[in-house]
Amino acid sequence: MTKKSTLTFIVISIIIISGIITINLFQGKDKIYQQGARSNESQIEKLEIYLKENEEDPTANLNLGLRYYHDQQYKKAISKYKKVIELEPDNALAWHRLANTHVLQEDFQKAFNVRQKVVELEADATSYLNLSTLDVLFEPSTALKHAKIALDLAEKSKEDNIDYFKMWHDALQQFDKQQKSGDISEGFITLIKSEISLEKTLLLEYIGRALNADVNKETENELVELRGKIHSYQSNILDYSDLSSG
Amino acid sequence: MIEVMKIELYKIIKSKQYIFLVVSLFLFIIVALLFMFYNRDPNEINLFSLIYQVFAFNSDIFFPTVSIAFFSSIITKEFQDKTIKMVIGSVYTRQNIIIGKFLASSIVFSVAFLITVLTAFFIAYLLPISSIIYIDYEQLGTLNVFGRMMLITLSTLVFLISFGSFAFLVALIVRNQGLTMLIAIGLLMFYILIPSPDWLTDYIFIGKGVMFYTAFSFLEIPYLEAIKTVLVCILYLLTFIICSTIFFNRFELKDGS
Amino acid sequence: MEVLELIDIHKNIKSHKILTGINLKMNTGEIIGLIGSNGAGKSTLLKIISNLLKPSEGEVLINNINVHDNFQQVANEIGYLIEEPVLYPYLTAKEHLHLALKLHGKPINDKQINSLATMLDITPFLHKKTKNYSMGMKQKLGIACAVIHNPDIVILDEPTNSIDIKGINLIKKFILQLKSQGKLVIVSSHLLQEIKNICDHYIMIENGELINTDSLSTAKSQQYLIYFKETPETQNKLEPYYPLHKSKECISIEISHTDLNSTLKFIMDNNIHISDIEKVELSFENFL
């Protein structure tokens, strides 16, 4: 090797090494590999700092709301979604996430009202399906109607998962019949076993409603066992197959 | 150096060595893309997560293996055909020959890699994808996702070329394709299977693919960490090339080789 | 004009002394024949002159420039074909000649390529890939690649290998043409009688040493002939390792005195019965 190229190599190496050292000094100790689990917290910190200066940024507020939601800080999440709605009253995503948060807070009445607002703003299949999951608690008679609209919209927009909407529609048809024949607990059990993904809190509410009605001992035991399983389940959203598969 | 690079590019193109490279990259990238797409619930897939999956599927083992095979074949083929005799009798210094060969291989590798990733991106773009997970794709927009994909691609490319420079050095020393692949892939597997201490992982060039696709999947990209890793890879790359030139300068043609 | 000088060249590989104290001076416009038995160090010497090997001691000067320190300065002065032609199987002859010119930093000159191809009779194959060539064709193309950049010194190691009589005459003519252009041509061949008429001088190497070039005709090399009774078993044991000469009811092998010990050990180890050993002194003429 010539002297010139040796010198060039040494100079470039020194520049690179000093670059790495500088980055290390700036960066602190967190490594990217370890950040996976902590990324939500650090993102919350970063977004909070950002929002101090840019309070009126709806996207950042919406993002922070979602981060709080994943961090189970539901009150803070709700305040962020409300802020977005204040800034952009027609932001359907903000309304949708607000409803999700209310459901996890077990505040189903508020969630129901918000879901109705979502349907007004964004009348798509998913919005109607979500609304019908709460209809059964407050206005059982409209649940099937909304599920039918959801199915029609899904077919119209050629959604890939039409079967999913159909499954929920069929379950509600069954539910409707059972309600009309006074078989309330069986109706809720039908919904629970429909294999539709639902919020943990909503499934527990369905079980509660079923238990409140007249049930035989065997069904009661089954529902209590199911409730135990749901409580021990980690995720916020689950369906019956998750539980039955253990 | 530029002249040697041109000659080497001419040889790579004439020998059609790039075909194996393009075919294997296409196989790994496009097949992984379609496999990921059809094996998952379409509701869980978005453009970015699909690209992310392709890199997550390939970056640890498959891409480095392709890089090792390509870069080492450039050297070992020359020894196997004994044509190295012709090259070292030229007016160019051995240092220029090695650097020129390396640059030509890097250019061909980069072009093949970029073309394959871009093709994958456009295929992914045409697939019917929807919904939101991990990163809110609706909020990011296609351009942002494209930008992130290019950043992953470029930084992964630096990592893969640094792997290539390692294969280059090993190939020069052992002059046997199979043995070079065995050593380089063996080292890769050793690193993957045996956990190394935390303070070391930051400063080793192996297994850096995971760093890049993880970094660029965060909503707020940790640029500093990514730049640092790229710099570490470049430092290794330079060291391997310098070692290769030193070794090649001392190289003597033994009987029968 | 003196163009090549070897000063006290030694080459050791591990503990083996391959070459010891070679001193030589060669001029342009000469054809030098390099002779010596197999393993005498001919190829090693040619590789050292071509910078494919570095000497353990000593210097090779081309136009007073040290080859091993400044090869790039003299790379255009030297062209070689050593051991066997090295060719890229995926390139045609023409592409090889282009490549050889590019490697020597010279512009592509199709006129020069065509006239060289005519001289070496490779014109019909100019556009065919070399992977389909016969050994003779490869050899001719190898020679063409060695001289395309117009070097002052041309080194040809076994240039007549695998070439038919017609081809040998063609190459002889070509070597003479190189001489007439004022080049120094160093030729080595194990069948030196094929080119004996064209050489101006001969250099003989035996056991890594240069035999006095001034008194070549009196130079001697010791060889041994070992005779065995011809049986299939003896033949099978010896055949993979030694070229066998057959005569009436007996077979013999010919070895240099450096190989005597190892050969005898081999014979003892394999329980081969020796009929007779004969010591022969080969003079320079024996090679011609």
Side-chain angles (χ1 to χ4, degrees):
Chain A
M1 276 212 333
T2 57
K3 271 186 186 169
K4 202 178 139 194
S5 48
T6 315
L7 201 69
T8 318
F9 169 65
I10 292 171
V11 170
I12 295 175
S13 303
I14 290 172
I15 293 172
I16 292 175
I17 292 168
S18 33
I20 294 170
I21 293 170
T22 319
I23 290 173
N24 272 349
L25 291 176
F26 268 101
Q27 203 184 16
K29 283 176 184 168
D30 261 9
K31 272 189 221 116
I32 203 77
Y33 314 101
Q34 295 157 355
Q35 272 180 10
R38 288 207 290 271
S39 70
N40 208 33
E41 285 169 38
S42 64
Q43 291 299 331
I44 287 175
E45 271 173 42
K46 284 177 188 170
L47 280 166
E48 278 173 347
I49 294 166
Y50 171 79
L51 277 169
K52 271 185 193 162
E53 309 241 320
N54 306 279
E55 222 178 304
E56 308 284 282
D57 183 339
T59 312
N61 274 300
L62 199 59
N63 262 321
L64 184 55
L66 188 66
R67 298 272 169 197
Y68 281 141
Y69 169 91
H70 285 305
D71 207 33
Q72 299 183 350
Q73 302 187 50
Y74 300 128
K75 277 187 186 166
K76 283 186 176 177
I78 287 171
S79 80
K80 287 297 141 195
Y81 294 141
K82 284 188 173 165
K83 178 78 190 171
V84 179
I85 291 164
E86 193 186 308
L87 295 165
E88 292 178 350
D90 292 342
N91 190 325
L93 188 63
W95 285 99
H96 167 74
R97 286 183 180 173
L98 180 61
N100 289 348
T101 319
H102 281 313
V103 171
L104 283 186
Q105 273 193 315
E106 299 180 46
D107 200 343
F108 301 113
Q109 183 63 54
K110 277 187 188 163
F112 179 57
N113 297 340
V114 176
R115 288 260 188 256
Q116 282 174 326
K117 180 74 184 168
V118 176
V119 168
E120 275 174 35
L121 291 171
E122 200 167 81
D124 65 6
T126 313
S127 306
Y128 273 105
L129 185 134
N130 284 334
L131 177 59
S132 66
T133 61
L134 292 169
D135 278 336
V136 294
L137 301 179
F138 304 104
E139 290 175 26
S141 53
T142 56
L144 180 60
K145 195 180 104 191
H146 286 151
K148 176 82 176 84
I149 297 173
L151 179 60
D152 289 345
L153 286 171
E155 277 170 353
K156 208 169 159 189
S157 60
K158 291 183 179 158
E159 295 259 1
D160 294 328
N161 49 346
I162 287 173
D163 287 348
Y164 188 76
F165 290 91
K166 190 154 178 14
M167 198 162 66
W168 179 241
H169 175 259
D170 294 349
L172 274 179
Q173 243 176 354
Q174 177 90 1
F175 171 80
D176 199 46
K177 272 187 208 162
Q178 286 161 330
Q179 289 280 305
K180 280 175 184 160
S181 63
D183 210 349
I184 293 175
S185 66
E186 278 304 313
F188 278 105
I189 291 171
T190 308
L191 297 186
I192 293 162
K193 294 186 175 176
S194 67
E195 299 203 353
I196 289 288
S197 297
L198 292 167
E199 287 89 349
K200 195 172 171 175
T201 47
L202 193 55
L203 268 177
L204 288 170
E205 180 65 19
Y206 286 177
I207 291 177
R209 296 274 176 124
L211 285 170
N212 281 342
D214 289 333
V215 279
N216 60 34
K217 196 71 193 159
E218 199 185 330
T219 318
E220 190 183 332
N221 286 344
E222 190 193 343
L223 287 171
V224 170
E225 191 191 337
L226 202 58
R227 190 163 60 185
K229 277 186 182 174
I230 295 173
H231 274 300
S232 63
Y233 203 78
Q234 295 269 321
S235 169
N236 275 336
I237 296 185
L238 67 161
D239 64 44
Y240 185 70
S241 63
D242 294 332
L243 301 165
S244 52
S245 62
Chain B
M1 198 186 302
I2 303 296
E3 281 306 312
V4 185
M5 193 183 80
K6 282 189 200 161
I7 292 171
E8 291 301 328
L9 275 175
Y10 171 78
K11 273 157 56 179
I12 295 173
I13 290 163
K14 275 280 173 188
S15 68
K16 300 196 170 67
Q17 264 166 300
Y18 62 90
I19 290 181
F20 137 80
L21 176 68
V22 174
V23 168
S24 42
L25 283 177
F26 251 87
L27 217 66
F28 286 133
I29 294 183
I30 311 290
V31 170
L33 179 87
L34 296 176
F35 181 79
M36 295 290 170
F37 179 74
Y38 286 109
N39 257 295
R40 276 165 183 272
D41 183 350
N43 284 318
E44 283 185 10
I45 294 179
N46 62 43
L47 186 59
F48 186 78
S49 73
L50 203 56
I51 299 288
Y52 174 90
Q53 292 289 344
V54 168
F55 277 91
F57 190 76
N58 287 311
S59 282
D60 286 340
I61 297 174
F62 295 122
F63 287 161
T65 307
V66 176
S67 165
I68 290 166
F70 177 70
F71 278 87
S72 57
S73 74
I74 299 293
I75 294 289
T76 52
K77 228 178 148 20
E78 201 90 62
F79 282 100
Q80 191 190 323
D81 296 342
K82 298 175 187 175
T83 41
I84 194 77
K85 261 190 221 173
M86 195 176 193
V87 181
I88 56 181
S90 74
V91 287
Y92 303 106
T93 61
R94 292 188 179 194
Q95 181 182 321
N96 280 352
I97 291 170
I98 283 295
I99 298 176
K101 262 184 180 304
F102 180 72
L103 287 179
S105 322
S106 304
I107 288 173
V108 174
F109 189 84
S110 309
V111 170
F113 194 67
L114 279 174
I115 288 176
T116 336
V117 173
L118 284 177
T119 314
F121 181 83
F122 288 112
I123 291 178
Y125 191 67
L126 294 175
L127 290 172
I129 39 183
S130 59
S131 187
I132 306 152
I133 50 157
Y134 206 64
I135 284 190
D136 198 333
Y137 166 54
E138 300 294 333
Q139 281 179 37
L140 289 179
T142 312
L143 255 181
N144 190 312
V145 172
F146 181 74
R148 278 163 186 258
M149 186 205 68
M150 286 313 286
L151 286 176
I152 300 181
T153 308
L154 292 178
S155 39
T156 306
L157 203 52
V158 175
F159 153 65
L160 292 177
I161 292 176
S162 73
F163 231 108
S165 67
F166 173 66
F168 220 67
L169 175 62
V170 178
L172 264 178
I173 296 171
V174 301
R175 291 174 226 167
N176 177 306
Q177 179 78 33
L179 198 56
T180 307
M181 298 275 293
L182 204 70
I183 294 173
I185 297 172
L187 189 77
L188 176 68
M189 297 309 277
F190 180 82
Y191 182 82
I192 290 172
L193 297 175
I194 311 292
S196 48
D198 267 1
W199 56 267
L200 196 67
T201 46
D202 264 13
Y203 302 103
I204 283 189
F205 72 104
I206 315 171
K208 284 289 171 275
V210 60
M211 149 73 214
F212 296 120
Y213 63 75
T214 315
F216 294 112
S217 67
F218 288 154
L219 194 61
E220 279 188 26
I221 299 168
Y223 285 106
L224 281 181
E225 183 81 29
I227 292 169
K228 185 176 125 184
T229 315
V230 167
L231 288 178
V232 169
C233 287
I234 294 175
L235 193 62
Y236 272 98
L237 186 154
L238 281 175
T239 312
F240 289 136
I241 289 304
I242 296 300
C243 291
S244 301
T245 54
I246 293 171
F247 183 82
F248 196 53
N249 267 333
R250 293 180 182 176
F251 162 80
E252 288 194 354
L253 205 75
K254 299 272 174 350
D255 280 343
S257 63
Chain C
M1 193 181 81
E2 186 186 302
V3 62
L4 176 69
E5 188 177 2
L6 310 180
I7 307 167
D8 197 26
I9 300 289
H10 289 254
K11 180 69 186 173
N12 307 327
I13 294 179
K14 290 177 183 164
S15 58
H16 291 281
K17 287 186 175 176
I18 310 290
L19 293 175
T20 42
I22 307 275
N23 285 290
L24 269 174
K25 285 183 183 178
M26 297 179 207
N27 301 321
T28 48
E30 282 183 348
I31 301 173
I32 310 284
L34 186 63
I35 52 175
S37 55
N38 274 344
K42 292 188 311 261
S43 279
T44 308
L45 183 65
L46 294 181
K47 280 183 186 172
I48 287 176
I49 298 173
S50 322
N51 193 36
L52 295 175
L53 280 180
K54 290 185 172 111
S56 308
E57 274 176 53
E59 286 181 346
V60 177
L61 303 180
I62 290 177
N63 294 331
N64 287 323
I65 297 170
N66 187 319
V67 171
H68 298 96
D69 292 343
N70 303 294
F71 182 73
Q72 276 60 48
Q73 287 180 33
V74 294
N76 275 342
E77 309 305 328
I78 185 164
Y80 55 78
L81 166 67
I82 289 181
E83 283 172 345
E84 57 191 321
V86 286
L87 302 170
Y88 295 95
Y90 47 84
L91 293 184
T92 65
K94 193 161 191 174
E95 285 164 344
H96 267 99
L97 296 169
H98 283 181
L99 185 68
L101 281 172
K102 279 189 208 162
L103 283 170
H104 286 91
K106 301 232 163 154
I108 288 169
N109 181 344
D110 277 337
K111 217 171 156 186
Q112 186 194 356
I113 289 174
N114 290 337
S115 75
L116 190 62
T118 317
M119 272 193 264
L120 283 165
D121 194 23
I122 51 172
T123 315
F125 299 89
L126 219 45
H127 297 283
K128 285 187 182 149
K129 287 193 176 154
T130 57
K131 63 180 171 194
N132 304 319
Y133 280 18
S134 67
M135 263 316 284
M137 277 307 303
K138 284 185 181 171
Q139 198 77 18
K140 285 189 217 166
L141 178 58
I143 296 172
C145 286
V147 299
I148 186 74
H149 58 284
N150 204 14
D152 283 345
I153 304 167
V154 180
I155 296 173
L156 302 174
D157 190 9
E158 312 276 1
T160 53
N161 243 2
S162 327
I163 292 185
D164 54 18
I165 302 287
K166 195 180 150 209
I168 291 173
N169 287 332
L170 188 95
I171 287 173
K172 274 187 189 174
K173 217 171 120 190
F174 182 69
I175 292 174
L176 284 170
Q177 215 155 7
L178 291 176
K179 178 190 170 184
S180 69
Q181 288 167 11
K183 298 184 193 308
L184 163 66
V185 187
I186 306 173
V187 194
S188 94
S189 174
H190 67 292
L191 296 169
L192 208 62
Q193 60 267 46
E194 286 175 353
I195 51 169
K196 69 175 179 181
N197 299 329
I198 59 168
C199 292
D200 299 310
H201 301 285
Y202 296 94
I203 299 166
M204 187 174 175
I205 292 186
E206 197 52 42
N207 301 329
E209 282 178 47
L210 194 67
I211 310 280
N212 192 349
T213 45
D214 296 333
S215 53
L216 272 179
S217 54
T218 57
K220 298 269 189 338
S221 165
Q222 286 183 342
Q223 299 274 327
Y224 291 86
L225 280 170
I226 306 179
Y227 295 94
F228 308 89
K229 204 171 175 191
E230 190 181 7
T231 64
E233 198 193 343
T234 312
Q235 201 170 335
N236 285 344
K237 282 178 181 168
L238 289 170
E239 208 155 29
Y241 305 99
Y242 299 95
L244 303 181
H245 307 284
K246 290 183 188 174
S247 52
K248 263 187 191 174
E249 289 176 9
C250 79
I251 46 177
S252 62
I253 58 172
E254 192 181 318
I255 50 162
S256 70
H257 89 272
T258 44
D259 294 335
L260 185 63
N261 280 341
S262 59
T263 308
L264 287 175
K265 187 172 182 302
F266 176 83
I267 290 167
M268 297 299 176
D269 289 348
N270 284 283
N271 275 332
I272 305 169
H273 184 73
I274 299 174
S275 308
D276 193 11
I277 300 183
E278 189 185 332
K279 186 175 174 186
V280 238
E281 292 216 321
L282 293 176
S283 70
F284 172 69
E285 274 74 20
N286 289 82
F287 288 95
L288 302 182

